[in-house]
Coordinates of all heavy atoms in Angstrom, one line a residue:
M23 N 0.8 -1.2 -0.1 CA 0.1 0.0 0.0 C 0.9 1.2 0.0 O 1.9 1.2 0.7 CB -0.9 0.0 1.2 CG -1.7 1.2 1.3 SD -2.9 1.3 2.8 CE -3.3 -0.4 3.3
S24 N 0.6 2.2 -0.8 CA 1.3 3.5 -0.9 C 1.1 4.2 0.3 O 0.2 4.1 1.1 CB 0.9 4.2 -2.2 OG -0.4 4.8 -1.8
N25 N 2.2 5.1 0.6 CA 2.1 6.1 1.8 C 0.9 6.9 1.7 O 0.2 7.1 2.8 CB 3.4 6.9 1.8 CG 4.4 6.4 2.7 OD1 4.0 5.5 3.5 ND2 5.6 7.0 2.7
L26 N 0.5 7.4 0.4 CA -0.6 8.3 0.3 C -1.8 7.6 0.6 O -2.7 8.1 1.3 CB -0.7 8.9 -1.1 CG -1.6 9.9 -1.4 CD1 -1.5 11.1 -0.4 CD2 -1.5 10.4 -2.8
K27 N -2.0 6.4 0.2 CA -3.2 5.6 0.5 C -3.3 5.3 1.9 O -4.4 5.3 2.6 CB -3.1 4.3 -0.4 CG -4.5 3.5 -0.3 CD -4.5 2.3 -1.2 CE -5.8 1.7 -1.4 NZ -5.9 0.7 -2.3
A28 N -2.3 4.9 2.7 CA -2.3 4.7 4.0 C -2.7 5.9 4.8 O -3.4 5.8 5.7 CB -0.9 4.1 4.6
I29 N -2.2 7.0 4.4 CA -2.5 8.3 5.1 C -4.0 8.6 5.0 O -4.6 8.9 5.9 CB -1.5 9.5 4.6 CG1 -0.2 9.2 5.1 CG2 -2.1 10.8 5.0 CD1 0.9 10.3 4.3
R30 N -4.5 8.3 3.8 CA -5.9 8.6 3.5 C -6.8 7.7 4.2 O -7.7 8.2 4.9 CB -6.3 8.5 2.0 CG -7.6 8.8 1.7 CD -7.8 8.8 0.2 NE -9.1 9.0 -0.2 CZ -10.3 8.2 -0.1 NH1 -10.1 6.9 0.2 NH2 -11.4 8.5 -0.4
E31 N -6.5 6.5 4.3 CA -7.2 5.5 5.1 C -7.3 5.9 6.6 O -8.2 5.9 7.3 CB -6.6 4.1 5.0 CG -7.2 3.4 3.6 CD -6.6 2.1 3.5 OE1 -6.2 1.5 4.5 OE2 -6.8 1.6 2.3
R32 N -6.1 6.4 7.2 CA -6.1 6.7 8.6 C -6.9 8.0 8.7 O -7.7 8.0 9.7 CB -4.6 7.1 8.9 CG -3.8 5.8 9.5 CD -2.6 6.3 10.2 NE -1.8 7.3 9.7 CZ -0.8 7.1 8.8 NH1 -0.5 5.9 8.3 NH2 -0.1 8.1 8.3
R33 N -6.8 8.9 7.9 CA -7.6 10.3 8.0 C -9.0 9.9 7.9 O -9.9 10.6 8.5 CB -7.1 11.2 7.1 CG -5.9 11.8 7.4 CD -5.5 12.9 6.4 NE -4.1 13.6 6.8 CZ -3.5 14.4 6.2 NH1 -4.0 14.8 4.9 NH2 -2.3 14.8 6.5
M34 N -9.6 9.1 7.1 CA -10.9 8.7 6.9 C -11.5 8.1 8.1 O -12.7 8.1 8.2 CB -11.1 7.9 5.6 CG -10.8 8.4 4.3 SD -11.8 10.0 4.1 CE -13.3 9.4 4.1
K35 N -10.7 7.6 9.0 CA -11.3 7.0 10.3 C -11.5 8.0 11.4 O -11.9 7.7 12.3 CB -10.3 5.9 10.7 CG -10.3 4.7 9.7 CD -9.3 3.6 10.3 CE -9.3 2.5 9.1 NZ -8.3 1.5 9.5
T36 N -11.0 9.2 11.1 CA -11.2 10.3 12.2 C -12.6 10.8 12.2 O -13.5 10.6 11.3 CB -10.3 11.6 11.8 OG1 -10.8 12.1 10.7 CG2 -8.9 11.1 11.7
P37 N -13.1 11.3 13.5 CA -14.5 11.7 13.5 C -14.7 12.9 12.7 O -15.8 13.1 12.1 CB -14.5 12.2 15.0 CG -13.4 11.4 15.7 CD -12.4 11.2 14.7
E38 N -13.7 13.7 12.3 CA -13.9 14.9 11.4 C -14.2 14.4 10.0 O -15.1 15.0 9.4 CB -12.7 15.8 11.4 CG -12.3 16.5 12.7 CD -11.5 15.5 13.7 OE1 -11.0 14.5 13.4 OE2 -11.5 16.0 14.8
A39 N -13.6 13.4 9.6 CA -13.9 12.8 8.3 C -15.2 12.2 8.2 O -16.0 12.5 7.2 CB -12.8 11.8 7.8
T40 N -15.5 11.5 9.2 CA -16.9 10.8 9.3 C -17.9 12.0 9.2 O -18.9 11.8 8.5 CB -17.0 10.0 10.5 OG1 -16.0 9.0 10.5 CG2 -18.3 9.3 10.6
R41 N -17.8 13.0 9.9 CA -18.7 14.1 10.2 C -18.8 14.8 8.7 O -19.9 15.1 8.3 CB -18.3 15.0 11.2 CG -19.5 15.8 11.8 CD -19.0 16.6 13.0 NE -17.7 16.9 13.2 CZ -16.9 16.4 14.1 NH1 -17.3 15.4 14.9 NH2 -15.7 16.8 14.3
G42 N -17.7 15.0 8.1 CA -17.7 15.7 6.8 C -18.4 14.9 5.7 O -19.1 15.5 4.9
Y43 N -18.1 13.7 5.7 CA -18.9 12.7 4.7 C -20.4 12.6 5.0 O -21.2 12.6 4.1 CB -18.2 11.4 4.5 CG -17.0 11.5 3.6 CD1 -15.8 11.7 4.0 CD2 -17.3 11.1 2.3 CE1 -14.8 11.9 3.1 CE2 -16.3 11.1 1.4 CZ -15.0 11.5 1.7 OH -14.1 11.5 0.8
S44 N -20.7 12.6 6.4 CA -22.1 12.6 6.6 C -22.9 13.9 6.3 O -24.0 13.9 5.6 CB -22.2 12.5 8.2 OG -23.6 12.4 8.6
D45 N -22.2 15.0 6.5 CA -22.7 16.4 6.1 C -22.9 16.4 4.5 O -24.0 16.9 4.0 CB -21.9 17.4 6.6 CG -21.9 17.7 8.1 OD1 -22.6 17.0 8.8 OD2 -21.1 18.5 8.6
A46 N -21.9 15.8 4.0 CA -21.9 15.9 2.4 C -23.1 15.2 1.8 O -23.8 15.4 0.9 CB -20.7 15.5 1.9
R47 N -23.3 13.9 2.5 CA -24.3 13.0 2.1 C -25.7 13.6 2.4 O -26.5 13.5 1.5 CB -24.2 11.6 2.9 CG -25.4 10.7 2.5 CD -25.3 9.4 3.4 NE -25.5 9.8 4.8 CZ -26.6 10.2 5.4 NH1 -27.5 10.3 4.7 NH2 -26.5 10.4 6.7
I48 N -25.8 14.3 3.4 CA -27.2 14.9 3.7 C -27.4 16.1 2.6 O -28.6 16.2 2.1 CB -27.1 15.6 5.1 CG1 -27.3 14.4 6.2 CG2 -28.3 16.5 5.2 CD1 -26.9 14.9 7.5
A49 N -26.5 16.8 2.4 CA -26.5 17.8 1.4 C -26.9 17.3 0.1 O -27.8 17.9 -0.8 CB -25.3 18.7 1.3
M50 N -26.2 16.3 -0.5 CA -26.4 15.6 -1.8 C -27.8 14.9 -1.7 O -28.6 15.0 -2.7 CB -25.4 14.7 -2.1 CG -24.0 15.2 -2.3 SD -24.0 16.6 -3.6 CE -24.7 15.9 -5.0
D51 N -28.4 14.5 -0.7 CA -29.8 13.9 -0.6 C -30.7 15.1 -0.9 O -31.7 14.9 -1.4 CB -30.0 13.2 0.7 CG -29.3 11.8 0.8 OD1 -28.7 11.3 -0.2 OD2 -29.3 11.3 2.0
F52 N -30.5 16.2 -0.2 CA -31.2 17.3 -0.4 C -31.3 17.9 -1.8 O -32.3 18.1 -2.4 CB -30.9 18.5 0.5 CG -31.7 19.7 0.4 CD1 -33.0 19.7 0.6 CD2 -31.1 20.8 -0.3 CE1 -33.6 21.1 0.5 CE2 -31.7 22.0 -0.6 CZ -33.2 22.0 -0.2
V53 N -30.2 17.9 -2.4 CA -30.0 18.3 -3.8 C -30.8 17.4 -4.7 O -31.6 17.9 -5.6 CB -28.5 18.3 -4.3 CG1 -28.4 18.4 -5.7 CG2 -27.8 19.5 -3.6
E54 N -30.8 16.1 -4.5 CA -31.4 15.1 -5.3 C -32.9 15.3 -5.0 O -33.9 15.3 -6.1 CB -31.1 13.7 -4.9 CG -31.7 12.7 -5.8 CD -31.2 11.3 -5.5 OE1 -30.3 11.2 -4.9 OE2 -31.9 10.3 -5.9
L55 N -33.4 15.6 -3.9 CA -34.8 15.8 -3.6 C -35.4 17.0 -4.3 O -36.4 16.9 -4.9 CB -34.9 15.9 -2.0 CG -36.4 16.2 -1.5 CD1 -37.3 15.0 -1.7 CD2 -36.4 16.6 -0.1
I56 N -34.7 18.1 -4.3 CA -35.1 19.3 -5.0 C -35.2 19.1 -6.4 O -36.1 19.4 -7.1 CB -34.1 20.6 -4.7 CG1 -34.4 20.9 -3.1 CG2 -34.5 21.7 -5.5 CD1 -35.7 21.5 -2.8
Y57 N -34.1 18.5 -7.1 CA -34.1 18.3 -8.4 C -35.2 17.3 -8.9 O -35.8 17.6 -9.8 CB -32.7 17.7 -8.7 CG -32.7 17.2 -10.2 CD1 -32.5 18.1 -11.3 CD2 -32.8 15.9 -10.6 CE1 -32.4 17.8 -12.6 CE2 -32.9 15.6 -11.9 CZ -32.6 16.4 -12.9 OH -32.7 16.1 -14.3
T58 N -35.4 16.2 -8.1 CA -36.4 15.4 -8.4 C -37.8 15.9 -8.4 O -38.6 15.5 -9.2 CB -36.3 14.1 -7.6 OG1 -35.0 13.5 -7.8 CG2 -37.3 12.9 -7.9
A59 N -38.0 16.8 -7.3 CA -39.3 17.3 -7.2 C -39.6 18.3 -8.4 O -40.6 18.4 -9.0 CB -39.5 18.1 -5.9
R60 N -38.6 19.1 -8.7 CA -38.6 20.1 -9.8 C -38.9 19.3 -11.1 O -39.9 19.8 -11.9 CB -37.5 20.8 -9.9 CG -37.4 21.9 -11.0 CD -36.1 22.8 -11.1 NE -35.0 22.0 -11.3 CZ -34.8 21.6 -12.8 NH1 -35.6 21.9 -13.7 NH2 -33.7 21.0 -12.9
V61 N -38.3 18.3 -11.4 CA -38.4 17.5 -12.8 C -39.9 16.9 -12.7 O -40.5 17.0 -13.7 CB -37.4 16.6 -12.9 CG1 -37.6 15.6 -14.2 CG2 -36.0 17.4 -13.2
A62 N -40.3 16.4 -11.7 CA -41.6 15.7 -11.5 C -42.7 16.7 -11.7 O -43.8 16.3 -12.3 CB -41.8 15.0 -10.2
A63 N -42.4 18.1 -11.3 CA -43.5 19.1 -11.5 C -43.3 19.7 -13.0 O -44.0 20.7 -13.1 CB -43.3 20.1 -10.5
N64 N -42.5 19.1 -13.7 CA -42.2 19.7 -15.1 C -41.9 21.2 -15.1 O -42.5 22.1 -15.8 CB -43.4 19.5 -16.0 CG -43.6 17.9 -16.4 OD1 -42.6 17.3 -16.6 ND2 -45.0 17.5 -16.2
M65 N -41.0 21.5 -14.0 CA -40.6 22.9 -13.9 C -39.2 23.1 -14.2 O -38.4 22.3 -13.9 CB -41.0 23.1 -12.4 CG -41.1 24.6 -12.0 SD -41.2 25.0 -10.4 CE -42.9 24.0 -9.9
T66 N -38.9 24.3 -14.9 CA -37.6 24.6 -15.2 C -36.9 25.3 -13.9 O -37.6 25.7 -13.0 CB -37.5 25.7 -16.3 OG1 -38.0 26.8 -16.0 CG2 -38.1 25.0 -17.6
Q67 N -35.6 25.4 -13.9 CA -34.9 26.2 -12.8 C -35.4 27.6 -12.8 O -35.5 28.2 -11.7 CB -33.5 26.1 -13.1 CG -32.8 24.7 -12.8 CD -31.4 24.7 -13.0 OE1 -30.7 25.7 -13.7 NE2 -30.6 23.7 -12.5
E68 N -35.6 28.1 -14.0 CA -36.1 29.5 -14.1 C -37.6 29.7 -13.4 O -37.7 30.6 -12.6 CB -36.2 30.0 -15.4 CG -36.6 31.4 -15.5 CD -36.3 32.0 -17.0 OE1 -35.7 31.4 -17.8 OE2 -36.9 33.2 -17.1
E69 N -38.4 28.7 -13.8 CA -39.8 28.7 -13.1 C -39.7 28.5 -11.5 O -40.4 29.1 -10.8 CB -40.6 27.6 -13.7 CG -41.0 27.9 -15.2 CD -41.6 26.7 -15.9 OE1 -41.2 25.5 -15.5 OE2 -42.4 26.9 -16.8
L70 N -38.9 27.7 -11.2 CA -38.7 27.3 -9.8 C -38.3 28.6 -9.0 O -38.7 29.0 -8.0 CB -37.9 26.1 -9.3 CG -37.7 25.9 -7.9 CD1 -39.0 25.7 -7.1 CD2 -36.7 24.8 -7.8
G71 N -37.2 29.3 -9.7 CA -36.7 30.5 -9.1 C -37.7 31.5 -9.1 O -37.8 32.2 -8.0
E72 N -38.6 31.7 -10.1 CA -39.7 32.7 -10.1 C -40.6 32.4 -8.9 O -41.0 33.3 -8.2 CB -40.3 32.8 -11.4 CG -39.5 33.4 -12.5 CD -40.2 33.2 -13.9 OE1 -41.3 32.7 -13.9 OE2 -39.6 33.6 -14.8
R73 N -41.0 31.2 -8.7 CA -42.0 30.8 -7.7 C -41.5 30.9 -6.4 O -42.3 31.1 -5.4 CB -42.5 29.4 -8.0 CG -43.4 29.3 -9.2 CD -43.8 27.8 -9.3 NE -44.6 27.7 -10.5 CZ -45.4 26.7 -10.8 NH1 -45.6 25.7 -9.9 NH2 -46.0 26.6 -12.0
S74 N -40.2 30.8 -6.2 CA -39.6 30.9 -4.8 C -38.8 32.2 -4.5 O -38.3 32.4 -3.5 CB -38.6 29.7 -4.8 OG -37.5 29.8 -5.7
G75 N -38.9 33.2 -5.5 CA -38.3 34.4 -5.3 C -36.8 34.4 -5.3 O -36.1 35.2 -4.8
M76 N -36.3 33.4 -6.2 CA -34.8 33.2 -6.3 C -34.5 33.4 -7.8 O -35.4 33.4 -8.7 CB -34.4 31.9 -5.9 CG -34.6 31.7 -4.3 SD -34.3 30.0 -3.8 CE -32.5 30.1 -4.0
T77 N -33.3 33.4 -8.2 CA -32.8 33.5 -9.5 C -32.6 32.1 -10.0 O -32.2 31.2 -9.3 CB -31.7 34.3 -9.8 OG1 -30.5 33.7 -9.0 CG2 -31.8 35.9 -9.2
Q78 N -32.6 31.9 -11.4 CA -32.3 30.6 -12.0 C -30.8 30.2 -11.6 O -30.5 29.0 -11.2 CB -32.4 30.6 -13.4 CG -32.0 29.5 -14.2 CD -30.7 29.3 -14.5 OE1 -29.8 30.2 -14.8 NE2 -30.1 28.0 -14.5
P79 N -29.9 31.2 -11.7 CA -28.4 30.7 -11.2 C -28.4 30.2 -9.8 O -27.6 29.3 -9.4 CB -27.6 32.1 -11.4 CG -28.4 32.7 -12.5 CD -29.9 32.5 -12.2
A80 N -29.2 30.9 -9.0 CA -29.1 30.3 -7.5 C -29.7 29.0 -7.4 O -29.2 28.2 -6.8 CB -30.1 31.4 -6.7
I81 N -30.9 28.7 -8.3 CA -31.4 27.4 -8.2 C -30.4 26.4 -8.7 O -30.1 25.3 -8.3 CB -32.6 27.2 -9.1 CG1 -33.8 28.2 -8.5 CG2 -33.1 25.7 -9.2 CD1 -34.1 27.8 -7.1
A82 N -29.5 26.8 -9.8 CA -28.6 26.0 -10.4 C -27.4 25.7 -9.4 O -26.9 24.6 -9.3 CB -28.0 26.6 -11.7
R83 N -27.0 26.7 -8.6 CA -26.0 26.5 -7.6 C -26.4 25.3 -6.7 O -25.8 24.6 -6.2 CB -25.6 27.8 -7.0 CG -24.6 28.6 -7.8 CD -24.0 29.7 -7.0 NE -25.1 30.6 -6.3 CZ -25.5 31.7 -7.1 NH1 -25.3 31.9 -8.2 NH2 -26.5 32.5 -6.5
I84 N -27.7 25.5 -6.1 CA -28.3 24.7 -5.1 C -28.2 23.3 -5.7 O -27.9 22.3 -5.0 CB -29.6 25.0 -4.7 CG1 -29.5 26.2 -3.8 CG2 -30.2 23.9 -3.9 CD1 -30.9 27.0 -3.5
E85 N -28.9 23.0 -6.9 CA -29.0 21.7 -7.6 C -27.6 21.1 -7.9 O -27.4 19.9 -7.9 CB -29.8 21.8 -8.8 CG -31.4 21.9 -8.5 CD -32.2 21.9 -9.7 OE1 -31.6 21.8 -10.8 OE2 -33.4 21.9 -9.6
G86 N -26.6 21.9 -8.1 CA -25.2 21.5 -8.5 C -24.5 21.2 -7.2 O -23.2 20.8 -7.4
G87 N -24.9 21.5 -6.0 CA -24.1 21.3 -4.8 C -23.1 22.4 -4.6 O -22.3 22.2 -3.7
G88 N -23.3 23.4 -5.3 CA -22.4 24.7 -4.9 C -22.6 25.4 -3.8 O -21.9 26.1 -3.3
T89 N -23.8 25.3 -3.2 CA -24.2 26.0 -2.1 C -25.2 25.2 -1.3 O -25.9 24.4 -1.7 CB -24.8 27.4 -2.3 OG1 -25.0 28.2 -1.2 CG2 -26.0 27.3 -3.1
T90 N -25.2 25.3 0.1 CA -26.1 24.8 1.0 C -27.1 25.8 1.4 O -26.7 26.9 2.1 CB -25.5 24.1 2.2 OG1 -24.5 23.2 1.7 CG2 -26.5 23.4 3.0
P91 N -28.4 25.6 1.0 CA -29.3 26.8 1.4 C -29.7 26.8 2.9 O -29.6 25.7 3.6 CB -30.6 26.3 0.6 CG -30.5 25.0 0.4 CD -29.0 24.7 0.3
M92 N -30.0 28.0 3.3 CA -30.5 28.1 4.8 C -32.0 27.6 4.8 O -32.6 27.3 3.9 CB -30.6 29.6 5.1 CG -29.2 30.2 4.9 SD -28.0 30.4 6.3 CE -29.1 31.2 7.5
V93 N -32.5 27.4 6.1 CA -33.8 26.7 6.3 C -34.8 27.5 5.7 O -35.7 26.9 5.1 CB -33.9 26.6 7.8 CG1 -35.3 26.1 8.1 CG2 -32.9 25.6 8.5
G94 N -34.9 28.8 5.8 CA -35.8 29.7 5.1 C -35.9 29.4 3.6 O -37.0 29.5 3.1
T95 N -34.8 29.4 3.0 CA -34.7 29.0 1.6 C -35.2 27.6 1.3 O -36.0 27.4 0.3 CB -33.2 29.2 1.0 OG1 -32.7 30.4 1.4 CG2 -33.1 28.8 -0.5
V96 N -35.0 26.7 2.0 CA -35.4 25.3 1.9 C -37.0 25.4 2.0 O -37.7 24.8 1.1 CB -35.0 24.3 2.9 CG1 -35.6 23.1 3.0 CG2 -33.5 24.2 2.7
A97 N -37.6 26.1 2.9 CA -39.0 26.2 3.1 C -39.6 27.0 1.8 O -40.6 26.5 1.4 CB -39.3 27.1 4.4
R98 N -38.9 27.9 1.3 CA -39.5 28.6 0.1 C -39.4 27.7 -1.1 O -40.4 27.7 -1.9 CB -38.6 29.9 -0.2 CG -38.8 31.1 0.8 CD -38.4 32.4 0.3 NE -37.5 32.5 -0.7 CZ -36.2 32.9 -0.6 NH1 -35.7 33.4 0.5 NH2 -35.5 33.0 -1.7
L99 N -38.3 26.9 -1.2 CA -38.3 25.9 -2.3 C -39.5 24.8 -2.2 O -40.0 24.5 -3.2 CB -37.0 25.3 -2.4 CG -35.9 26.2 -2.8 CD1 -34.5 25.6 -2.4 CD2 -36.0 26.5 -4.3
A100 N -39.6 24.5 -1.0 CA -40.7 23.4 -0.8 C -42.1 24.0 -1.2 O -42.8 23.3 -1.9 CB -40.6 23.0 0.7
Q101 N -42.3 25.1 -0.7 CA -43.6 25.8 -1.0 C -43.7 26.0 -2.4 O -44.8 25.6 -3.1 CB -43.7 27.2 -0.2 CG -45.1 27.8 -0.4 CD -45.2 29.1 0.3 OE1 -44.1 29.7 0.8 NE2 -46.4 29.5 0.6
A102 N -42.7 26.4 -3.1 CA -42.8 26.6 -4.6 C -42.9 25.2 -5.4 O -43.5 25.2 -6.5 CB -41.5 27.2 -5.2
L103 N -42.7 24.2 -4.8 CA -42.8 22.9 -5.3 C -44.1 22.1 -4.8 O -44.2 21.0 -4.9 CB -41.5 21.9 -5.1 CG -40.3 22.4 -5.8 CD1 -39.0 21.9 -5.2 CD2 -40.4 22.1 -7.3
G104 N -44.9 22.9 -4.1 CA -46.1 22.3 -3.6 C -45.9 21.4 -2.4 O -46.7 20.4 -2.2
A105 N -45.0 21.7 -1.6 CA -44.7 20.9 -0.4 C -44.4 21.7 0.8 O -44.7 22.9 0.7 CB -43.4 19.9 -0.7
H106 N -44.0 21.1 1.9 CA -43.7 21.9 3.1 C -42.6 21.2 3.8 O -42.3 19.9 3.6 CB -44.9 22.0 4.1 CG -45.4 20.7 4.9 ND1 -46.3 19.7 4.3 CD2 -45.0 20.3 6.0 CE1 -46.3 18.9 5.1 NE2 -45.7 19.1 6.1
V107 N -41.8 21.8 4.7 CA -40.7 21.3 5.4 C -41.1 21.0 6.9 O -41.7 21.8 7.5 CB -39.5 22.3 5.3 CG1 -38.4 21.8 6.1 CG2 -39.1 22.5 4.0
T108 N -40.6 19.9 7.4 CA -40.8 19.5 8.7 C -39.4 19.3 9.3 O -38.6 18.4 8.7 CB -41.6 18.3 8.9 OG1 -43.0 18.5 8.4 CG2 -41.9 17.9 10.4
L109 N -39.1 19.9 10.4 CA -37.7 19.7 10.9 C -38.0 18.9 12.2 O -38.8 19.3 13.0 CB -37.0 21.0 11.3 CG -36.8 21.9 10.1 CD1 -36.2 23.2 10.6 CD2 -35.7 21.2 9.2
Q110 N -37.2 18.0 12.5 CA -37.3 17.1 13.6 C -36.0 17.0 14.5 O -35.0 16.8 13.8 CB -37.8 15.8 13.4 CG -38.0 14.9 14.5 CD -38.5 13.5 14.3 OE1 -38.7 13.1 13.1 NE2 -38.9 12.7 15.3
W111 N -36.1 17.4 15.7 CA -34.7 17.6 16.5 C -34.9 16.4 17.5 O -36.0 16.5 18.3 CB -34.5 18.9 17.1 CG -33.4 18.9 18.0 CD1 -33.1 18.3 19.2 CD2 -32.2 19.7 17.7 NE1 -32.0 18.6 19.6 CE2 -31.4 19.6 18.8 CE3 -31.9 20.7 16.8 CZ2 -30.2 20.2 19.0 CZ3 -30.8 21.3 16.8 CH2 -29.8 21.1 17.9
V112 N -34.1 15.5 17.6 CA -34.2 14.4 18.6 C -33.1 14.4 19.3 O -32.0 14.2 18.8 CB -34.5 12.9 17.9 CG1 -34.5 11.9 18.9 CG2 -35.7 13.0 17.0
N113 N -33.2 14.4 20.7 CA -32.1 14.5 21.6 C -31.5 13.0 21.8 O -32.4 12.2 22.3 CB -32.4 15.1 22.9 CG -31.1 15.4 23.8 OD1 -30.1 14.6 23.7 ND2 -31.1 16.3 24.6
N114 N -30.3 12.7 21.4 CA -29.9 11.3 21.5 C -29.7 10.7 23.0 O -29.7 9.6 23.2 CB -28.5 11.1 20.8 CG -28.7 11.4 19.3 OD1 -29.8 11.1 18.8 ND2 -27.6 11.7 18.8
D115 N -29.6 11.7 23.9 CA -29.4 11.4 25.3 C -30.7 11.2 26.2 O -30.6 11.0 27.4 CB -28.6 12.3 26.1 CG -27.1 12.3 25.3 OD1 -26.8 11.3 24.8 OD2 -26.4 13.5 25.2
S116 N -31.8 11.6 25.5 CA -33.0 11.7 26.4 C -34.2 11.5 25.4 O -34.1 11.2 24.2 CB -33.3 13.0 27.1 OG -33.5 14.0 26.2
D117 N -35.4 11.5 25.9 CA -36.6 11.4 25.0 C -37.1 12.8 24.5 O -38.1 12.7 23.9 CB -37.7 10.6 25.8 CG -37.4 9.2 26.0 OD1 -36.6 8.6 25.3 OD2 -37.8 8.8 27.0
Q118 N -36.3 13.7 24.7 CA -36.8 15.1 24.2 C -36.8 15.2 22.7 O -35.8 14.6 22.0 CB -35.9 16.1 24.8 CG -35.9 16.4 26.3 CD -35.0 17.4 26.8 OE1 -33.9 17.5 26.3 NE2 -35.5 18.2 27.8
Q119 N -37.9 15.8 22.2 CA -37.9 16.0 20.8 C -38.6 17.4 20.4 O -39.3 17.9 21.3 CB -39.0 15.0 20.1 CG -38.4 13.5 20.0 CD -39.4 12.8 19.1 OE1 -39.2 12.8 17.9 NE2 -40.3 12.2 19.7
L120 N -38.3 18.0 19.4 CA -38.9 19.1 18.9 C -39.2 19.0 17.5 O -38.2 18.6 16.6 CB -38.0 20.3 19.0 CG -38.3 21.6 18.5 CD1 -39.6 22.2 19.2 CD2 -37.3 22.7 18.5
I121 N -40.4 19.1 17.1 CA -40.9 19.0 15.7 C -41.4 20.3 15.2 O -42.3 20.8 15.8 CB -41.9 17.9 15.5 CG1 -41.3 16.5 15.9 CG2 -42.2 17.8 14.0 CD1 -42.1 15.4 15.9
V122 N -40.9 20.8 14.2 CA -41.4 22.1 13.6 C -41.9 21.8 12.2 O -41.1 21.4 11.4 CB -40.2 23.2 13.6 CG1 -40.8 24.6 13.1 CG2 -39.6 23.3 15.0
A123 N -43.2 22.1 12.0 CA -43.7 21.9 10.8 C -44.3 23.1 10.1 O -44.6 24.1 10.8 CB -45.0 20.9 10.9

């Protein structure tokens, strides 16, 4: 095994790398959700932008994974696509939950 490959394997086992890949997976899942919903609605990026108060380039950046939108933007996109957003916060150490719909 090359030195570079060994270093990469060690780094990928760190909590930071695990967290980074988890964050990236969540972001990509969101991108796929927005894209799929837009295409299913037969809507162009420009139309989604108009309905959500955004520009076509902003929609393209989101769908391309170039930016991660804030919660308010997610809610506007969902509304423009005929959906709504529900956030669920579950405390891993207790039974406490907060659901915002």
Side-chain angles (χ1 to χ4, degrees):
M23 179 183 322
S24 72
N25 260 353
L26 185 57
K27 190 172 185 178
I29 291 170
R30 182 178 184 275
E31 284 184 10
R32 275 196 312 271
R33 286 186 180 168
M34 290 307 296
K35 293 178 182 175
T36 67
E38 294 82 12
T40 302
R41 205 170 23 253
Y43 272 88
S44 177
D45 291 351
R47 182 189 49 76
I48 291 168
M50 290 311 297
D51 287 349
F52 173 73
V53 165
E54 185 177 343
L55 179 67
I56 292 295
Y57 173 80
T58 302
R60 179 180 63 77
V61 170
N64 293 315
M65 200 180 299
T66 65
Q67 288 180 343
E68 187 171 346
E69 290 169 327
L70 178 56
E72 288 171 4
R73 291 182 183 196
S74 62
M76 300 173 69
T77 63
Q78 180 276 326
I81 300 298
R83 278 192 302 276
I84 291 169
E85 287 186 355
T89 185
T90 303
M92 307 267 301
V93 174
T95 302
V96 172
R98 287 192 349 238
L99 289 168
Q101 184 177 17
L103 290 163
H106 71 278
V107 174
T108 301
L109 299 174
Q110 183 175 5
W111 179 294
V112 179
N113 189 334
N114 294 331
D115 298 329
S116 71
D117 292 336
Q118 292 180 322
Q119 288 192 87
L120 172 66
I121 299 174
V122 180

